[in-house]
C-alpha cells in the first residue's frame, strides 16, 4: 500500500460527491471519481485535476454487479489499494411517493441504488479496505431516514415519501448490521458511519437546498478522516449525532 491515502467516492461527477472528492483531494489524497456516465466522469476528473487533485476516473454504476467488480479491479490496478470508501451515489426516485399511491417500481429502483448499491460496492471494496491500515466507510444518508425524527412531532422529516426516506432508514439499518458483523469478524480497523449533508442545493432537489455542495460535503470529509479511535456505527451531521 502506498503512503498516499486512496479514496473512492461514488456519484462523484456532480453535487455533494464532487465536492467530497475535491475536499479529500485537497488533503493530498488520491481520489477515484466513481461515475456511470463517461462524459460527466471525464469532465469531473479534468476539473479536479485542474484544481490540483490527484484524481482518476472509475467507471461505476452501483446497480450493476459487473461494473462494480470492474471498478474494484481498476482501483487495484491504478492505485494499488483503497483506504476510504464514500458511498455517496443515490437517487430520490420520481415523485410523488405517497405510500397510498406509490408505484412499487419506484421503491424498487430507489432501494436498488441507495441500499443494494451501497452493499454491492462495499462488499466489492472490502478486500481492498481490509489491507489498509486505517480503513473508513462513509455512507451518505439523510436525516429524513431517521425514524426518530420521522416519528417525532416537529422533527425535520421532509416530504411524505415511501421510497427515498425509507431507503435512507434501510441504509442506516444496514450500516448498523455491518458494524455488528465486522466486529464479530474482528475487522476492528474498519470504521463505518452514516452522514447527513443537510439540505443542499443539488440536482437531487432541483437546487432548492439551502446549503452549498461544499458545505454538504463537510460531514463526509470529516467521517473519512476520523482517527483510529474515532466513532463507529454512528450517524452524524455537522451539528453532531443524528438520532437513528
Ligand atoms: N442534496 C441534499 O439536500 C441531500 C440531503 C440529504 C442527503 N443527501 C444525500 O447526499 C448524497 C449526494 O446527493 P446530491 O444532493 O449530491 O445528489 P445529486 O447531485 O443528484 O448527485 C447524485 C450522484 O449520484 C450518482 N448516481 C445516481 N445513481 C447512480 C448509479 N446507479 N451509479 C452511480 N452513480 C449514481 C449521480 O450520477 P449521474 O450524474 O450519472 O446521475 C450523481 O453523481 C446522496 O446520497 C443523497 O441522498 C443529499
Amino acid at each position: 500500500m502506498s503512503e498516499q491515502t486512496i479514496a473512492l467516492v461514488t456519484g462523484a461527477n456532480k453535487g455533494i460527491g464532487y465536492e467530497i472528492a475535491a475536499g479529500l483531494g485537497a488533503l493530498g489524497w488520491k481520489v477515484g471519481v466513481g461515475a456511470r456516465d463517461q462524459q460527466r466522469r471525464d469532465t469531473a476528473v479534468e476539473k479536479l485535476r485542474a484544481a490540483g487533485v490527484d484524481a482518476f476516473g472509475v467507471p461505476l454504476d452501483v446497480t450493476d454487479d459487473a461494473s462494480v467488480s470492474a471498478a474494484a479491479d481498476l482501483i487495484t490496478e491504478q492505485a494499488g489499494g483503497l483506504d476510504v470508501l464514500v458511498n455517496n451515489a443515490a437517487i430520490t426516485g420520481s415523485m410523488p411517493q405517497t405510500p397510498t399511491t406509490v408505484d412499487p417500481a419506484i421503491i424498487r429502483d430507489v432501494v436498488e441504488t441507495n441500499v443494494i448499491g451501497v452493499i454491492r460496492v462495499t462488499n466489492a471494496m472490502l478486500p481492498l479496505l481490509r489491507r489498509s491500515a486505517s480503513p473508513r466507510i462513509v455512507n451518505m444518508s439523510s436525516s429524513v431516514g431517521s425514524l426518530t425524527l420521522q416519528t417525532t412531532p416537529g422533527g425535520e422529516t421532509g416530504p411524505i415519501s415511501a421510497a427515498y426516506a425509507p431507503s435512507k432508514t434501510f441504509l442506516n439499518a444496514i450500516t448498523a448490521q455491518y458494524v455488528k458483523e465486522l466486529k464479530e469478524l474482528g475487522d476492528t480497523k474498519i470504521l463505518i458511519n452514516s452522514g447527513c449533508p443537510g439540505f443542499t442545493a443539488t440536482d437531487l432537489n432541483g437546487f432548492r437546498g439551502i446549503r452549498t455542495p461544499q458545505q454538504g460535503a463537510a460531514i463526509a470529509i470529516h467521517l473519512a478522516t476520523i482517527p483510529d479511535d474515532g466513532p463507529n456505527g454512528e450517524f452524524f451531521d455537522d451539528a453532531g449525532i443524528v438520532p437513528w
Side-chain angles (χ1 to χ4, degrees):
M1 178 80 50
S2 83
E3 293 290 301
Q4 194 181 20
T5 302
I6 300 152
L8 169 67
V9 183
T10 71
N13 55 290
K14 66 178 180 183
I16 296 167
Y18 176 87
E19 292 298 341
I20 297 170
L24 296 179
L27 301 173
W29 294 15
K30 190 176 184 73
V31 184
V33 175
R36 55 186 167 175
D37 179 87
Q38 187 185 345
Q39 204 175 341
R40 289 196 287 270
R41 184 175 61 249
D42 288 349
T43 305
V45 169
E46 276 165 33
K47 206 172 142 196
L48 286 164
R49 284 188 182 155
V53 173
D54 185 2
F56 64 105
V58 180
L60 180 62
D61 180 340
V62 303
T63 66
D64 184 289
D65 284 339
S67 165
V68 171
S69 158
D73 291 345
L74 184 139
I75 291 166
T76 308
E77 264 170 47
Q78 298 250 324
L82 185 68
D83 302 290
V84 173
L85 168 64
V86 182
N87 285 307
N88 167 80
I91 56 170
T92 53
S94 43
M95 300 287 176
Q97 294 178 358
T98 40
T100 57
T101 61
V102 68
D103 176 352
I106 298 174
I107 303 179
R108 274 191 210 105
D109 282 351
V110 170
V111 169
E112 184 63 48
T113 300
N114 298 6
V115 183
I116 300 173
V118 172
I119 298 169
R120 185 180 284 115
V121 174
T122 301
N123 290 350
M125 301 302 157
L126 264 179
L128 295 177
L129 290 166
R130 284 187 165 122
R131 299 208 300 266
S132 166
S134 299
R136 307 283 177 262
I137 301 173
V138 181
N139 289 337
M140 284 305 267
S141 184
S142 170
S143 59
V144 303
S146 163
L147 269 188
T148 307
L149 294 178
Q150 287 288 359
T151 54
T152 303
E156 296 292 327
T157 54
I160 291 173
S161 148
Y164 179 70
S167 78
K168 295 299 188 181
T169 313
F170 194 167
L171 176 61
N172 288 344
I174 286 290
T175 303
Q177 296 299 320
Y178 268 102
V179 170
K180 276 174 65 174
E181 192 195 353
L182 291 175
K183 261 188 202 154
E184 212 171 88
L185 293 172
D187 272 325
T188 49
K189 289 183 307 182
I190 303 178
L191 303 181
I192 169 165
N193 292 287
S194 285
C196 172
F199 189 37
T200 303
T202 66
D203 264 343
L204 194 92
N205 50 39
F207 296 90
R208 287 190 314 276
I210 53 169
R211 311 191 83 210
T212 65
Q214 236 174 341
Q215 289 172 323
I219 189 62
I221 294 166
H222 171 68
L223 293 174
T225 54
I226 51 174
D228 291 346
D229 61 352
N232 190 26
E234 296 190 44
F235 185 17
F236 296 92
D237 63 13
D238 282 352
I241 296 268
V242 181
W244 289 113

